[in-house]
């Protein structure tokens, strides 16, 4: 599950996780991406990831929900 953010800063951070994941998926399979590798790519602590998402799959779900 992912958190629905209300503040502008939180919304921007959450979108950054989404765009970074999509960028990584252009070069590697989703199954090869980890929360750690996503956070390293963003230069963000894992703690920040779990502030918005419970699992990596939730980032992808948020992208799909926003597209629909």
């Amino acid at each position: 599950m992912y958190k629905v953010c209300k503040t502008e800063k939180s919304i921007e951070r959450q979108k950054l996780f989404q765009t970074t994941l999509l960028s990584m998926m252009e070069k590697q399979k989703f199954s090869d991406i980890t929360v750690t590798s996503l956070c390293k790519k963003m230069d963000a602590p894992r703690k920040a990831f779990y502030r918005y998402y419970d699992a990596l799959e939730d980032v992808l779900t948020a992208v799909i929900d926003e597209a629909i």
Side-chain angles (χ1 to χ4, degrees):
M1 193 87 203
Y2 61 91
K3 178 182 174 186
V4 177
C5 296
K6 296 178 182 172
T7 67
E8 188 174 321
K9 183 178 178 181
S10 293
I11 292 168
E12 287 177 20
R13 192 75 177 273
Q14 196 173 40
K15 286 187 185 286
L16 185 57
F17 276 110
Q18 295 171 12
T19 57
T20 304
L21 177 64
L22 291 175
S23 171
M24 292 175 74
M25 288 174 61
E26 290 176 0
K27 298 177 180 107
Q28 62 192 107
K29 295 187 296 184
F30 179 78
S31 60
D32 293 336
I33 300 170
T34 64
V35 171
T36 300
S37 65
L38 176 63
C39 290
K40 277 186 180 180
K41 181 84 170 172
M42 290 181 53
D43 195 28
R46 285 175 52 96
K47 183 178 173 180
F49 175 87
Y50 290 108
R51 196 173 297 142
Y52 304 106
Y53 303 100
D54 291 332
L56 195 58
E57 291 80 5
D58 297 334
V59 182
L60 199 51
T61 300
V63 170
I64 293 168
D65 286 351
E66 192 171 307
I68 296 173

